[in-house]
Amino acid sequence: MANIVKTIDSQTINNIIKQYKMDTENLPTGTVARKKIKSTQVQIYRSKKIMFQGKDAEQVASEVLGQKIAPTSSSSPSPKKTHTFDLHNTIGSDEAGSGDYFGPLTVCATYVSKKNAKLLKELGVMDSKTLTDIKIVELAEQIIQICPHSLIVLDNPNYNTKQLEGWSQVKMKAVLHNQAIKNVISRIEESELEQIVIDQFVKASTYEKYVIGKMPRKDITFFETKGESKSIAIAAASIIARYAFVKHMDRLAKDLKVLIPKGASNKVDLEAAKIVQKYDIQQLDEITKKHFKNRDKVLDLIKRKRRN
């Protein structure tokens, strides 16, 4: 089954939707329109990309776009370096929020087949650190429709409870990564899985010590530093994890009607102090990681302001 992705302008999108009477209601988030034409599923995304999936993808794409679409060829050389992980059916896992004072810890594992690895690259999936929050939201809403995945969100109250029980952040991440990977394996044909790759945040021996229960498929599990640039599966997982983190932060800001900055900088301390003044320290603790040094800095800022 062929997969074709093209970028089109707003006028072309409107023309295609009208000409083919595409469905525009009750669609997944991020999807503008979709319709099955012949044996090919056609979807238009908010990112102005149109995707054709099906055995007649080239023919349908040529008809819809009014241009000749050449058949895809697996023997064509790629202009970019391809890491070996993307040549296998791979589960990748990554997390977001671990270095942020505000907000949860989010962990995602995503299964990317060899076929979908090419598709995700065409959609623009890459290292999430190079993407804006707006682009991350656009890509995540497309990835979740294509790839089996498991997203786990450890909110601040539960994070702080685990920390008080003696769990280090490394242990939390290890347990969540392992569970997310197990969840994804339960949702796919395990016989087709060839590799698992984890964005490395600790030595493999320490990871294994911390996980609850056994590591699934330890025999095909790899740990890679800067994994987002080496595996499209990790990149996809990173984008979904970051997406969940961004959406959670947006909700906090909206509910409390305050600015919720990312990271752990002095700017974060200043905004956190404003939250304590507007509400109280208990409210701040409900939406932050209490063991971060930022908390002491916030209390110091408030004491100094009161003295002045």
Side-chain angles (χ1 to χ4, degrees):
M1 183 173 72
N3 294 293
I4 294 171
V5 177
K6 297 290 183 181
T7 301
I8 53 180
D9 57 43
S10 299
Q11 185 60 51
T12 302
I13 289 172
N14 292 333
N15 291 341
I16 292 172
I17 292 173
K18 184 177 180 180
Q19 181 179 351
Y20 290 92
K21 298 179 180 178
M22 299 182 74
D23 299 324
T24 57
E25 296 182 359
N26 301 318
L27 301 175
T29 305
T31 302
V32 175
R34 68 180 177 187
K35 186 172 184 178
K36 192 166 187 178
I37 302 175
K38 298 181 180 178
S39 61
T40 296
Q41 183 68 38
V42 182
Q43 293 198 95
I44 300 176
Y45 296 108
R46 193 167 59 196
S47 59
K48 295 186 178 180
K49 292 185 182 293
I50 184 168
M51 179 171 68
F52 302 86
Q53 286 183 303
K55 66 178 183 179
D56 297 322
E58 290 93 353
Q59 179 186 343
V60 173
S62 297
E63 175 188 318
V64 171
L65 299 176
Q67 56 182 272
K68 180 64 177 176
I69 304 296
T72 55
S73 174
S74 59
S75 61
S76 299
S78 173
K80 296 182 180 180
K81 180 179 179 181
T82 300
H83 291 281
T84 57
F85 292 114
D86 299 345
L87 302 179
H88 298 84
N89 297 325
T90 302
I91 291 176
S93 68
D94 202 357
E95 78 282 333
S98 62
D100 296 87
Y101 177 49
F102 283 99
L105 176 63
T106 59
V107 175
C108 182
T110 305
Y111 174 69
V112 180
S113 64
K114 289 175 281 190
K115 176 189 69 178
N116 282 337
K118 297 177 183 178
L119 177 59
L120 295 188
K121 289 176 183 177
E122 290 174 350
L123 289 173
V125 172
M126 62 181 72
D127 186 341
S128 69
K129 295 183 182 67
T130 67
L131 302 171
T132 64
D133 285 351
I134 293 175
K135 188 64 177 176
I136 283 173
V137 170
E138 284 184 0
L139 287 172
E141 290 173 347
Q142 295 174 55
I143 296 168
I144 60 179
Q145 296 180 52
I146 298 169
C147 301
H149 63 281
S150 172
L151 171 67
I152 303 176
V153 178
L154 183 65
D155 62 18
N156 293 107
N158 283 307
Y159 178 103
N160 292 329
T161 297
K162 290 298 182 186
Q163 200 274 330
L164 287 173
E165 291 174 356
W167 286 41
S168 66
Q169 191 183 83
V170 169
K171 180 174 181 178
M172 294 182 209
K173 291 198 284 189
V175 169
L176 295 178
H177 274 261
N178 203 55
Q179 186 58 55
I181 290 167
K182 286 181 178 179
N183 292 346
V184 174
I185 290 176
S186 71
R187 297 167 188 170
I188 63 174
E189 289 292 335
E190 187 175 348
S191 60
E192 296 179 1
L193 177 63
E194 297 174 296
Q195 291 183 340
I196 299 170
V197 57
I198 299 167
D199 191 54
Q200 186 164 10
F201 55 88
V202 71
K203 292 193 298 184
S205 57
T206 304
Y207 177 95
E208 187 174 3
K209 179 181 73 174
Y210 279 147
V211 300
I212 296 174
K214 292 183 179 180
M215 287 174 58
R217 300 307 307 272
K218 179 183 174 182
D219 57 317
I220 56 171
T221 298
F222 302 86
F223 294 81
E224 286 288 332
T225 56
K226 299 181 180 178
E228 292 172 308
S229 62
K230 300 174 183 177
S231 164
I232 197 74
I234 289 182
S238 173
I239 287 171
I240 296 174
R242 192 70 187 171
Y243 165 78
F245 178 79
V246 168
K247 299 294 275 188
H248 191 99
M249 294 281 273
D250 288 345
R251 278 198 305 274
L252 290 178
K254 184 177 180 181
D255 290 345
L256 297 177
K257 297 180 175 60
V258 295
L259 177 65
I260 305 288
K262 300 178 181 67
S265 65
N266 292 335
K267 179 182 177 182
V268 170
D269 300 337
L270 293 172
E271 295 301 329
K274 292 177 184 177
I275 291 173
V276 175
Q277 291 176 312
K278 184 174 181 178
Y279 297 97
D280 51 35
I281 188 65
Q282 287 76 26
Q283 178 62 74
L284 181 66
D285 289 343
E286 281 289 311
I287 60 175
T288 57
K289 303 174 182 74
K290 288 175 62 176
H291 68 103
F292 273 41
K293 293 179 180 179
N294 297 80
R295 190 178 191 273
D296 292 334
K297 293 177 183 177
V298 168
L299 294 176
D300 186 56
L301 279 171
I302 292 172
K303 286 179 183 177
R304 279 188 285 160
K305 185 168 184 178
R306 286 172 178 169
R307 284 200 300 265
N308 295 334

